[in-house]
Amino acid sequence: MLSRRSLVASVAALTLAPLLAACGGDSDAATTTGNGATKKVGNVNIGPDQNRIRGKKDARIAALVPEAIRERGTLRLGGSADASPPLGFFATDDRTRIGSELDIATLVADTLGLKVKQQLVSWENLFVGLDSGKFDAVFSNVTVTEERKEKYDFATYRLDNIAFEAKKGTSWQVKGPKDVAGKTIAVSSGTNQEKILVDWSKQDEKAGLKPVTIKYFQKDTDYYLALQSGRIDGYLGPSPAVAYHVASAGQSRIIGTISGGGDLVQGKIAATTKKGSGLVDAYAAALNHVIEDGSYARVLKRWGLSSEAVPKSEVNPKGLPKP
């Protein structure tokens, strides 16, 4: 896991590297304060003063919250301590936690008349915290799976997609295997997106098309530089990370998105709570409220995640199948 200070440096580096490599680029990559601290990367505010989009309490929906939690007045929220822009990371003051997941959780809490009390823990301890009753909810990029549904309840709020990224100005679009035939594409080793890309390449060969040339890089900055220099045609990665880079650097574009579940099922990200906690209906109702009033869409747009919007929150939908 990156340290807080290292994360701030890496956010700036991830943005500046592709821009410096792009000759003649005139995008304003980073806006700085007088002391040189980065406050804004492209259109994305990474400073501590977030001016977060807020909601208003809805008494009808708030009444769905169990009485003990209403009396306490706080939503005890578990969040992953890992640095993952734009989902969750530290602002430039090295102290303030920011990101799309906290913004959505705050909208839900506002609607329920509760104040967010967040604790950052390791990924596995998010579920330990739910099991023990330490957390009322986890908003931390948790995908609905059939296995997890045995222990937890889910209220969906975002699609779980992976995205193809290409240099800005390209007319290339990706909708299926034939669209990547003969292309050189970077992907991270050992990931679900690598498996999908390998499968697509095999399908292309069986269809008499050229296979995909797959490249692997150690660091994100390496693939950014390769993309801008033309050494690769595209990159396949998690949609939020790709969208963040596109929005912040302004030198590339998303040319296609597919489900993180591949052809099996549309993956979905959800607010997660212990099964039987009595909270999932309140979360779903609050999410549907902010979807309807437009504040949800504004949060996603703010972080470059509009393509992952859901039309409504679903309770315990079909999840990724068991291994």
Side-chain angles (χ1 to χ4, degrees):
M1 183 179 70
L2 289 172
S3 67
R4 297 181 185 182
R5 193 168 303 281
S6 297
L7 173 62
V8 173
S10 69
V11 169
L14 293 182
T15 302
L16 293 173
L19 292 169
L20 293 174
C23 296
D26 57 3
S27 294
D28 182 12
T31 302
T32 60
T33 61
N35 61 12
T38 302
K39 301 288 287 186
K40 196 172 184 181
V41 179
N43 294 320
V44 182
N45 174 17
I46 62 170
D49 186 5
Q50 285 287 292
N51 296 317
R52 187 169 280 117
I53 297 165
R54 302 300 298 263
K56 294 182 180 179
K57 179 179 178 179
D58 184 295
R60 179 186 59 83
I61 298 174
L64 298 174
V65 176
E67 184 178 357
I69 297 176
R70 294 202 308 270
E71 291 179 354
R72 187 210 306 150
T74 58
L75 183 67
R76 300 176 305 181
L77 183 68
S80 173
D82 292 339
S84 182
L87 303 176
F89 59 112
F90 285 98
T92 52
D93 65 351
D94 216 18
R95 296 187 303 272
T96 306
R97 191 70 172 181
I98 62 176
S100 62
E101 300 293 74
L102 182 56
D103 280 7
I104 291 175
T106 299
L107 277 181
V108 168
D110 286 344
T111 303
L112 299 177
L114 302 172
K115 293 182 179 180
V116 169
K117 185 177 181 181
Q118 187 183 49
Q119 182 176 347
L120 301 177
V121 296
S122 63
W123 174 259
E124 62 273 13
N125 279 322
L126 291 174
F127 301 96
V128 172
L130 287 172
D131 294 342
S132 67
K134 182 178 182 180
F135 299 143
D136 302 311
V138 165
F139 285 74
S140 197
N141 205 42
V142 179
T143 302
V144 181
T145 72
E146 290 303 304
E147 185 173 22
R148 288 174 181 162
K149 280 165 60 178
E150 294 175 359
K151 293 183 66 176
Y152 308 102
D153 284 326
F154 296 94
T156 60
Y157 62 85
R158 212 180 72 239
L159 298 178
D160 177 17
N161 286 336
I162 56 178
F164 288 88
E165 180 180 5
K167 196 172 181 178
K168 197 170 185 178
T170 181
S171 60
W172 177 32
Q173 295 287 324
V174 177
K175 295 182 180 179
K178 65 181 179 61
D179 300 315
V180 297
K183 298 290 188 180
T184 300
I185 302 175
V187 71
S188 294
S189 178
T191 61
N192 193 47
Q193 52 264 27
E194 179 196 25
K195 181 181 181 303
I196 290 173
L197 191 60
V198 169
D199 287 346
W200 279 19
S201 183
K202 291 177 180 178
Q203 290 180 47
D204 285 335
E205 288 190 274
K206 287 182 179 179
L209 302 172
K210 292 182 178 180
V212 180
T213 299
I214 300 176
K215 297 289 187 179
Y216 300 94
F217 294 97
Q218 294 296 318
K219 299 181 294 185
D220 287 345
T221 47
D222 293 338
Y223 97 71
Y224 295 152
L225 290 169
L227 189 63
Q228 290 306 314
S229 67
R231 286 185 289 131
I232 59 175
D233 297 305
Y235 167 74
L236 177 61
S239 184
V242 171
Y244 179 78
H245 179 242
V246 168
S248 60
Q251 296 292 311
S252 57
R253 60 188 292 261
I254 293 174
I255 59 170
T257 59
I258 59 176
S259 169
D263 295 330
L264 298 175
V265 63
Q266 172 59 62
K268 293 178 181 177
I269 303 298
T272 309
T273 185
K274 186 176 181 180
K275 184 167 286 295
S277 69
L279 281 162
V280 70
D281 289 335
Y283 295 153
L287 284 162
N288 282 321
H289 177 75
V290 299
I291 288 171
E292 291 169 5
D293 72 15
S295 54
Y296 163 83
R298 289 166 59 204
V299 165
L300 292 188
K301 181 179 180 180
R302 181 171 186 245
W303 294 104
L305 299 177
S306 296
S307 65
E308 296 203 340
V310 295
K312 67 175 183 178
S313 178
E314 302 173 273
V315 173
N316 295 329
K318 181 180 180 181
L320 271 60
K322 291 183 179 181

